[in-house]
Amino acid sequence: MNPLQKQENQMIGVKVENLKKKFNSFFALKGISLSINKPGLYGLIGPNGAGKTTLFKCITGLLTPTEGKVILNNTAVNRKLLFQKNIYGFIPEDVGLYENLSARDFLHILAGLHGLVKTQRKKRVKEVVDFVGIKYSPNKIVRYLSTGQKRLLLIAGILLHDPDILILDESLSGLDPVVRSHVSNLMKELSKEKIVLYSSHILTDIWKLSDEVFVLNNGILVEHDTPLNIIKKITKNVYYIESNDNEEIFSFLKKVSNIKKIEFEGNKILFQIKSENVIDEFNEILSKIMEKHSILSFGYYEPDLDQLFIKMVSSNED
Amino acid sequence: MKINSRCVNYSLFIKEWKDAKRKLLPITAGIIIFSLFTILMMYALPYLVPDIPSELFPELTPTVLSQTFFSNANNILSIITVILCVDAIAGEREKNTFTLLKTAPVRDSSLIIIKTIVRFLLVIIPYIFSTLFAFFLIILMAGKPDIPIFLLASGFFILSLLLYVCIGLLISTFTKSQLSSGAVSVLVVFSLTLVSSLLNQEEAARYNFLQIPVNVFSFSFSNIEIIINVLLVIVFSILLLLLSIVIISSEKEPTKK
Ligand SMILES: Nc1ncnc2c1ncn2[C@@H]1O[C@H](COP(=O)(O)OP(=O)(O)OP(=O)(O)O)[C@@H](O)[C@H]1O
Ligand SMILES: [Mg+2]
């Protein structure tokens, strides 16, 4: 199965140490450090211009960092080390394809460019095409493929050399929901054995898929945690109650000393609890309210992801 | 993990060749038409400018026709060659395909050398056809030209095409788009042709390697002189190739447009 005869149990990992990248006088990355050392799905989010693409290009050696270093599977990234290029597979956000080739030729040439000899190539291309689920004719000319078909072709292309680390820059954008969920499933499947590091602006995907999320803003890594923990951190113990007697509940909550920030959002009342033991406090408040009013729904408040994103990014602006 | 670099290089060659192959037929047709045109032009000239007395036009011997063919080829094919080559790297940058090569275990030197070889083939195959065509056309119109000299001229011209390919490739490494590399190459080739025609006098003409295919019809060269000229072209080509490799491998952001 493995065409390049990789050693088993080889350590896989991406390590970035104090990475800085300066364009002219502008720092696009201002000292990024991160370390990933087990397979999984790692999401990178950040507003436009945050430096996501720059970070990916530094990791893959397409850009030379101004300061700091990147280590892939134990070796520091160095453009002269050819074997390193087979450690990762990279889909840049704006990659072009060899438009005049057929899909089959494209994959065969890519396989060859990564060192797969002719005898292995045919088998490997078939394996990858089956895995990725390319359904269209391999004779189709790349130029005439749709965006989604091209994306699948590229994913197949970077899997040919069976890399340990996959880096996908906005590979979910521009896809219809069906293809997007197909690609997400592929990524999930791949992340069992490989490190899949990807950036996306589609926050629901990031939150649903990722094992860990990195948040980049203005060239600084502002967050790194599991999606759930990040949501908790940002929302900081905000609960909601929904009832037909919202006005009265609202004035009741106002009198509770441990509650900060009460606000309406649609039919819901949101409130933040400041207490040592938030759960107990919430239960207590809830039971007091239930003595007088009937409640339609209540719970831990998970905000709209876009709102969360804006909050996260703007709280770091100052 | 050892990379099988023969396989990598072969695949790169195939990729380049598949791309070049599509241009082969139109270029061959174009250059053959060009040869036909240059030679027939000599016959048409007296009719096109009737004011000039016909004695002033040279007699159209096979040698004169051959010389005309090579001199026109020298002026026009040189620029076509360079323009055909400038998309080598700049084109990949422009179409964003350079990342595919830069993230594959392809050595910078192999990249440059293979691209040079393929462009060279792309240029010499049409050229050989058109020279054959010109040769038979000259026989048909005026008689048999001096075959050893004709061969020497075409051989040398093929060699100088290598130099032009290398020039095109070098330009391609440091320009970011095909348009700018095209503009730079026109400038470079015109200045080269200008300098080499200015230098084409007396002793300098003997080592004016860009004009040899024309000059062999005017005066004879000793073997040593031929060898020195051949070496000059080869050395310059290699220097240009090395420079291209150095530029490509020292770039901080190779995929930048
Ligand atoms: N080659 C370059 N020269 C100068 N500035 C650059 C270059 N590449 C990127 N930048 C700048 O660096 C910053 C980060 O850019 P980058 O492309 O990494 O952002 P991004 O997070 O990928 O954004 P997006 O979500 O829009 O893709 C931007 O301000 C951009 O203008
Ligand atoms: Mg980007």
Side-chain angles (χ1 to χ4, degrees):
Chain A
M1 157 84 194
N2 191 333
L4 297 170
Q5 280 139 30
K6 243 176 291 185
Q7 292 148 338
E8 284 301 313
N9 302 324
Q10 193 189 13
M11 210 177 87
I12 72 168
V14 179
K15 195 165 181 190
V16 174
E17 287 172 9
N18 190 30
L19 190 73
K20 291 184 186 166
K21 178 66 197 178
K22 195 161 113 179
F23 292 114
N24 308 318
S25 60
F26 164 77
F27 274 97
L29 298 177
K30 302 166 184 162
I32 304 277
S33 297
L34 61 88
S35 167
I36 299 173
N37 44 33
K38 61 171 196 290
L41 204 47
Y42 299 87
L44 179 65
I45 57 175
N48 292 123
K52 303 181 294 294
T53 302
T54 309
L55 176 61
F56 286 162
K57 285 191 174 167
C58 286
I59 291 177
T60 51
L62 291 177
L63 266 177
T64 313
T66 312
E67 227 185 287
K69 66 176 172 184
V70 178
I71 295 164
L72 296 181
N73 287 7
N74 291 336
T75 42
V77 167
N78 178 345
R79 237 192 275 156
K80 300 280 174 297
L81 295 177
L82 293 183
F83 76 89
Q84 219 166 38
K85 317 234 169 182
N86 274 354
I87 294 178
Y88 66 81
F90 178 34
I91 304 188
E93 61 185 334
D94 53 358
V95 66
L97 302 173
Y98 303 132
E99 302 262 312
N100 299 317
L101 297 178
S102 67
R104 181 194 288 113
D105 286 348
F106 179 78
L107 289 180
H108 276 261
I109 280 178
L110 226 51
L113 284 176
H114 282 275
L116 267 78
V117 296
K118 218 166 182 174
T119 47
Q120 307 169 328
R121 234 177 274 165
K122 204 166 174 183
K123 184 164 158 272
R124 182 64 187 159
V125 167
K126 191 176 176 324
E127 272 173 10
V128 166
V129 163
D130 289 345
F131 173 77
V132 173
I134 292 179
K135 299 276 188 324
Y136 50 86
S137 154
N139 294 323
K140 265 203 168 185
I141 302 298
V142 173
R143 177 192 301 278
Y144 303 120
L145 296 177
S146 73
T147 309
Q149 292 171 329
K150 278 185 186 160
R151 197 68 52 82
L152 290 186
L153 188 65
L154 262 173
I155 294 175
I158 62 161
L159 293 179
L160 290 165
H161 57 284
D162 195 20
D164 293 331
I165 300 161
L166 296 177
I167 298 177
L168 314 173
D169 200 354
E170 293 185 27
S171 296
L172 290 170
S173 64
L175 303 178
D176 76 37
V178 177
V179 181
R180 203 169 78 212
S181 91
H182 175 64
V183 173
S184 318
N185 289 340
L186 287 178
M187 283 161 59
K188 198 82 202 162
E189 184 66 31
L190 287 165
S191 72
K192 287 177 186 161
E193 284 174 19
K194 302 174 192 298
I195 290 176
V196 181
L197 182 57
Y198 75 110
S199 77
S200 176
H201 286 299
I202 305 163
L203 298 170
T204 39
D205 286 339
I206 291 259
W207 249 266
K208 229 171 35 200
L209 288 171
S210 311
D211 297 317
E212 286 175 33
V213 175
F214 295 91
V215 183
L216 197 62
N217 190 25
N218 275 326
I220 302 168
L221 206 58
V222 294
E223 262 310 340
H224 168 210
D225 215 326
T226 62
L228 196 64
N229 283 343
I230 292 185
I231 293 180
K232 275 190 187 152
K233 249 184 251 176
I234 300 285
T235 52
K236 285 189 193 106
N237 303 324
V238 177
Y239 290 82
Y240 74 89
I241 288 179
E242 191 182 1
S243 160
N244 288 330
D245 310 327
N246 274 354
E247 295 295 331
E248 287 134 64
I249 296 176
F250 187 83
S251 41
F252 165 77
L253 287 173
K254 265 194 159 169
K255 287 175 217 146
V256 183
S257 60
N258 279 341
I259 289 182
K260 302 252 162 77
K261 266 201 214 163
I262 314 169
E263 57 187 21
F264 280 107
E265 195 199 82
N267 298 331
K268 292 173 180 168
I269 306 170
L270 309 182
F271 55 97
Q272 191 176 20
I273 302 176
K274 283 272 161 74
S275 160
E276 288 289 299
N277 199 334
V278 183
I279 307 286
D280 289 349
E281 183 73 27
F282 178 67
N283 286 335
E284 204 174 308
I285 296 170
L286 201 60
S287 52
K288 274 185 194 158
I289 295 175
M290 291 219 281
E291 286 168 12
K292 292 178 195 158
H293 308 282
S294 63
I295 286 173
L296 298 174
S297 69
F298 65 88
Y300 190 77
Y301 173 69
E302 289 188 25
D304 176 20
L305 292 174
D306 290 325
Q307 290 296 325
L308 187 66
F309 179 73
I310 292 167
K311 251 188 196 170
M312 206 155 44
V313 167
S314 57
S315 67
N316 286 292
E317 217 106 85
D318 25 69
Chain B
M1 271 187 295
K2 188 93 178 65
I3 305 288
N4 184 338
S5 49
R6 253 186 53 199
C7 164
V8 172
N9 294 343
Y10 179 72
S11 297
L12 179 58
F13 179 84
I14 294 295
K15 170 207 163 250
E16 290 293 313
W17 180 244
K18 280 192 188 239
D19 213 30
K21 213 169 54 178
R22 299 178 314 125
K23 301 180 192 151
L24 207 54
L25 199 66
I27 295 176
T28 311
I31 295 182
I32 287 180
I33 290 169
F34 165 78
S35 326
L36 180 70
F37 186 74
T38 34
I39 291 166
L40 293 186
M41 197 61 190
M42 293 301 282
Y43 286 93
L45 220 50
Y47 304 102
L48 293 177
V49 273
D51 308 349
I52 301 175
S54 54
E55 305 89 72
L56 285 184
F57 289 105
E59 194 199 334
L60 295 180
T61 60
T63 307
V64 169
L65 285 178
S66 308
Q67 195 168 19
T68 312
F69 169 72
F70 280 105
S71 129
N72 281 316
N74 217 3
N75 292 332
I76 305 294
L77 288 191
S78 54
I79 193 115
I80 291 176
T81 304
V82 176
I83 286 177
L84 278 178
C85 295
V86 290
D87 73 322
I89 309 277
E92 295 234 20
R93 282 205 183 99
E94 202 168 86
K95 292 186 219 113
N96 278 324
T97 50
F98 204 36
T99 6
L100 295 179
L101 289 183
K102 277 297 180 180
T103 52
V106 181
R107 219 178 291 274
D108 288 325
S109 48
S110 326
L111 181 74
I112 297 290
I113 290 168
I114 289 168
K115 281 190 178 263
T116 307
I117 292 172
V118 172
R119 308 283 136 160
F120 188 48
L121 287 176
L122 175 66
V123 175
I124 62 169
I125 294 173
Y127 171 72
I128 288 172
F129 277 110
S130 71
T131 309
L132 277 174
F133 176 82
F135 180 74
F136 288 114
L137 189 67
I138 290 169
I139 292 182
L140 196 73
M141 306 290 282
K144 211 165 88 178
D146 187 335
I147 289 177
I149 293 192
F150 196 91
L151 275 180
L152 182 63
S154 14
F156 208 91
F157 191 69
I158 287 177
L159 198 63
S160 57
L161 285 177
L162 175 65
L163 186 65
Y164 287 114
V165 169
C166 294
I167 292 174
L169 229 88
L170 176 62
I171 293 171
S172 180
T173 56
F174 62 78
T175 46
K176 302 295 178 203
S177 72
Q178 292 190 59
L179 197 66
S180 59
S181 49
V184 173
S185 48
V186 171
L187 217 71
V188 169
V189 176
F190 269 133
S191 5
L192 265 182
T193 330
L194 197 70
V195 169
S196 78
S197 44
L198 285 179
L199 285 178
N200 207 24
Q201 282 150 21
E202 298 176 26
E203 270 310 290
R206 306 207 146 267
Y207 300 104
N208 188 355
F209 50 83
L210 289 180
Q211 294 290 335
I212 302 285
V214 183
N215 287 345
V216 284
F217 292 98
S218 310
F219 42 88
S220 64
F221 286 81
S222 72
N223 287 344
I224 300 286
E225 281 167 342
I226 295 288
I227 290 171
I228 290 177
N229 277 302
V230 167
L231 286 179
L232 276 175
V233 176
I234 290 176
V235 166
F236 272 101
S237 304
I238 290 176
L239 282 180
L240 292 175
L241 277 183
L242 287 178
L243 194 56
S244 307
I245 294 171
V246 168
I247 290 179
I248 274 290
S249 53
S250 63
E251 251 183 317
K252 282 223 160 58
E253 193 177 354
T255 54
K256 188 176 177 182
K257 286 203 257 186

